[in-house]
Amino acid sequence: MILFFALLFVAMAIAGACAFVIFWPLALVHIRDRHPAIGTQLGAGAFLNPTALGWLLRGGYRDANDRNLTGLASPARLSLLTIIIALVLAGLLWALSAVVSA
């Protein structure tokens, strides 16, 4: 039963990844077109750049005071948090199942 719930968390991470792949590129294109200073700060190839992902997780997009950017970056942030939390919880449940079965 524990591994079943771990598998559900993996499925949740996959759902988060699907949302991330939709919203993060849209936010990056908006940044490229409307906020070149932020684009320079995030650097080239920002899709999986740790600096850009940290900026997203910290909510740095709120400083731009752009409702359109917030509308694109907020779901990307939520989906990235979903991926991280779901994978951590799946790993913890897997470790728990290894301890319980031993």
Side-chain angles (χ1 to χ4, degrees):
M1 191 65 157
I2 294 173
L3 287 177
F4 173 73
F5 285 115
L7 187 60
L8 286 179
F9 281 123
V10 171
M12 190 182 305
I14 291 170
C18 291
F20 183 77
V21 167
I22 292 169
F23 285 104
W24 185 227
L26 291 173
L28 288 174
V29 168
H30 182 80
I31 289 169
R32 181 195 67 200
D33 293 344
R34 306 282 173 116
H35 304 281
I38 296 173
T40 304
Q41 175 188 355
L42 298 179
F47 184 72
L48 291 178
N49 186 347
T51 304
L53 295 176
W55 177 84
L56 179 64
L57 284 175
R58 285 190 308 275
Y61 54 88
R62 293 184 197 120
D63 295 336
N65 292 326
D66 182 354
R67 292 179 54 188
N68 294 325
L69 178 57
T70 301
L72 291 170
S74 292
R77 178 178 184 239
L78 182 61
S79 62
L80 185 57
L81 285 171
T82 301
I83 294 167
I84 293 168
I85 292 170
L87 289 178
V88 166
L89 291 175
L92 288 174
L93 285 176
W94 174 78
L96 178 66
S97 73
V99 170
V100 169
S101 68

